[in-house]
Amino acid sequence: MPKITFVGAGSMVFSTTLVGDILSFDELADSTIALMDIDEHRLEQTTRVAEAMVDNEGLDATIESTTDRREALAGADYVLNMINVGGTEPFENEIRIPESYGVEQAIGDTIGPGGIFRGLRTIPVVLDIADDMEDLCPDARLLNYTNPMSILCTTMFEATDIETVGLCHSVPHTAEAIADYVGVPDDELDYWVAGINHVAWFLDITHDGESVYPALREAAEDPAIYERDTVRFEMLKHFGYFPTESSHHMSEYVPYFRTDEETIEAMTGTDYAERMPTATYLGGWKERSDARDDPELDVDLDSVGVERSEEYASRLIHSIETDTTRRLNLNVSNESGAISNLPSDACVEVPVLVDGTGLHPCSVGELPASISTFPQQHVAVNRLVVEGALDGDREKIHRAVKQDPLTAAELTLPAIHEMTEDLLEANAEYLPELN
């Protein structure tokens, strides 16, 4: 009966999805699930839904709920991290200040000025979580869902002894999209994917032993399909491989699509390309945040039940607890050399075999030259951010932002320096070591 702790459980929809995933396995249905958040109202909403799941399904699981992180972590076997540090104000700063300089971010949570500063304000908190874990549950594994994934996981690898793995749903979501574009069932696709989080690539995709890449390129010629994923189809056309992150996300990680309004508008389409305009995620996030603060719970508690989503967390836990071998695409340290043309201290997203003995990254070899420079550049930026945060070195933060591809495509070096200073000042409350 493992104890599974959720830190940041106030994100009710996502948290209860993961609770349902865990409880959908018979072998995990008697787990203790400890829900923790600093927001009492949001935590109470998540707790009510989780308890209703257990009651409606007649399960033996125990649901615990607390605002005390140390109480939630004591004796945990697995810790799921899904925190958001600071709320609306710093997020708005990370989007609007770069926008005032001409750096147009759609999401801003992974890399670019937004991702860098989200990482900087989150790093101190994840290090505090690690300190508590080393004291209260040193053998527990941290399953990180919080962005920026690569920056936070690299920090954990570098500065703590906690076993850490990063989980993201972009690979299965992209597989579903590809299957839809080429007209085959997604559960019949076989694929080999590698890179870094949000900048990984489908190196091979097959159906019945045949590559679906010819069909995917043909599908991209259909205007209705092209408009569903404009940026990713452009990357496929020009660089030969389909990336794992949606068009609006991918547009931020390269210098080609967000430096003028005409291009942003031209790349705005439907589905994965619908959210191309600047600050779309910020607007949606504020709406969802307001909804979570509604005093009324908009959920029929009598009807909630246990279902299994595509998220990896429950499958990873089940594989370790039952010695069931699975292959999942996870974010792990590259110390084993899984991707040979990325640094050994990078956080890489690669196929990983999971079983009762733990996690075993698969050997990918070299990423193809046509796409390897994209993750290589972001790994270098991530390294500067982590070192700058751990050393309290403002100059490394400046250098990280100056090497961001989108920022460099839009601004001069003096302008980037000034923008970074503005971001440091605006986020001073969260960055005491850098101010």
Side-chain angles (χ1 to χ4, degrees):
M1 186 179 72
K3 179 177 179 180
I4 304 166
T5 295
F6 289 53
V7 179
S11 180
M12 190 263 287
V13 173
F14 188 54
S15 294
T16 54
T17 295
L18 297 181
V19 171
D21 290 346
I22 292 164
L23 299 182
S24 71
F25 286 102
D26 291 341
E27 298 89 343
L28 302 178
D30 61 351
S31 299
T32 294
I33 295 179
L35 304 173
M36 179 271 156
D37 201 282
I38 61 173
D39 187 310
E40 293 186 21
H41 169 67
R42 294 183 181 184
L43 176 62
E44 190 259 345
Q45 288 188 324
T46 301
T47 302
R48 289 175 64 192
V49 176
E51 289 175 341
M53 284 179 170
V54 172
D55 292 342
N56 294 346
E57 299 284 359
L59 302 175
D60 292 329
T62 300
I63 304 296
E64 299 176 351
S65 181
T66 179
T67 57
D68 185 327
R69 188 174 70 208
R70 288 180 63 83
E71 178 184 337
L73 290 173
D77 298 290
Y78 303 91
V79 178
L80 277 63
N81 177 44
M82 54 191 77
I83 61 172
N84 182 0
V85 176
T88 301
E89 181 184 2
F91 186 14
E92 193 129 27
N93 290 336
E94 291 153 9
I95 300 299
R96 296 306 184 189
I97 290 173
E99 183 184 14
S100 72
Y101 281 84
V103 180
E104 308 277 353
Q105 302 169 99
I107 310 298
D109 72 345
T110 297
I111 41 186
I116 288 170
F117 276 85
R118 177 180 287 242
L120 290 172
R121 64 179 156 99
T122 307
I123 283 172
V125 182
V126 297
L127 292 177
D128 285 346
I129 293 170
D131 286 344
D132 285 347
M133 290 180 66
E134 288 171 351
D135 184 29
L136 299 164
C137 54
D139 296 326
R141 191 182 303 271
L142 181 73
L143 280 57
N144 181 63
Y145 269 108
T146 298
N147 283 325
M149 178 69 68
S150 295
I151 287 172
L152 296 182
C153 287
T154 300
T155 300
M156 293 294 288
F157 302 152
E158 179 88 6
T160 81
D161 293 325
I162 296 298
E163 289 192 62
T164 300
V165 59
L167 283 69
C168 178
H169 46 230
S170 62
V171 172
H173 280 185
T174 301
E176 290 174 6
I178 291 171
D180 190 17
Y181 300 152
V182 302
V184 301
D186 63 272
D187 60 357
E188 294 181 9
L189 281 184
D190 191 20
Y191 46 84
W192 193 246
V193 180
I196 66 171
N197 184 238
H198 290 183
V199 192
W201 309 83
F202 277 71
L203 304 177
D204 190 30
I205 334 167
T206 61
H207 179 252
D208 288 340
E210 297 292 328
S211 173
V212 303
Y213 262 124
L216 188 59
R217 292 187 178 92
E218 183 178 347
E221 299 301 318
D222 181 337
I225 293 178
Y226 173 83
E227 288 199 357
R228 295 173 63 185
D229 226 346
T230 54
V231 170
R232 288 202 286 196
F233 282 127
E234 287 295 315
M235 295 300 289
L236 170 63
K237 175 182 177 181
H238 291 281
F239 298 101
Y241 296 89
F242 201 78
T244 58
E245 196 42 69
S246 53
S247 280
H248 56 284
H249 255 313
M250 189 68 201
S251 70
E252 299 179 309
Y253 308 155
V254 291
Y256 313 116
F257 304 105
R258 305 198 64 85
T259 56
D260 64 83
E261 289 298 332
E262 288 184 3
T263 304
I264 293 174
E265 185 175 348
M267 290 291 103
T268 301
T270 62
D271 291 33
Y272 289 100
E274 185 176 12
R275 296 162 69 188
M276 283 287 293
T278 300
T280 52
Y281 182 61
L282 173 62
W285 186 88
K286 290 167 72 173
E287 290 177 7
R288 291 189 295 273
S289 181
D290 290 343
R292 286 194 287 268
D293 289 335
D294 193 312
E296 297 298 322
L297 178 61
D298 188 22
V299 175
D300 180 3
L301 294 178
D302 292 331
S303 66
V304 297
V306 167
E307 298 179 5
R308 192 175 307 164
S309 75
E310 79 286 349
E311 298 291 344
Y312 284 142
S314 65
R315 292 168 173 83
L316 187 153
I317 294 170
H318 182 267
S319 286
I320 293 174
E321 292 294 314
T322 65
D323 195 22
T324 301
T325 302
R326 288 184 173 88
R327 194 182 80 194
L328 309 174
N329 278 81
L330 304 174
N331 292 271
V332 296
S333 171
N334 197 37
E335 62 184 355
S336 67
I339 299 180
S340 57
N341 53 348
L342 289 182
S344 61
D345 60 1
C347 175
V348 294
E349 190 168 73
V350 293
V352 177
L353 295 179
V354 186
D355 58 23
T357 64
L359 278 59
H360 310 281
C362 300
S363 177
V364 174
E366 288 194 355
L367 293 177
S370 63
I371 54 174
S372 62
T373 52
F374 298 111
Q376 285 168 349
Q377 186 165 17
H378 291 302
V379 166
V381 172
N382 293 342
R383 168 51 53 186
L384 284 168
V385 175
V386 172
E387 290 181 1
L390 295 178
D391 299 340
D393 189 332
R394 288 170 68 98
E395 187 59 36
K396 287 183 177 178
I397 305 307
H398 276 283
R399 290 171 179 170
V401 181
K402 287 169 183 173
Q403 292 188 42
D404 171 65
L406 174 59
T407 305
E410 181 64 33
L411 301 179
T412 64
L413 288 171
I416 299 173
H417 188 91
E418 183 180 348
M419 180 188 72
T420 304
E421 283 293 307
D422 286 352
L423 285 163
L424 285 164
E425 181 179 352
N427 288 285
E429 176 185 353
Y430 305 98
L431 309 175
E433 298 300 321
L434 290 166
N435 286 274

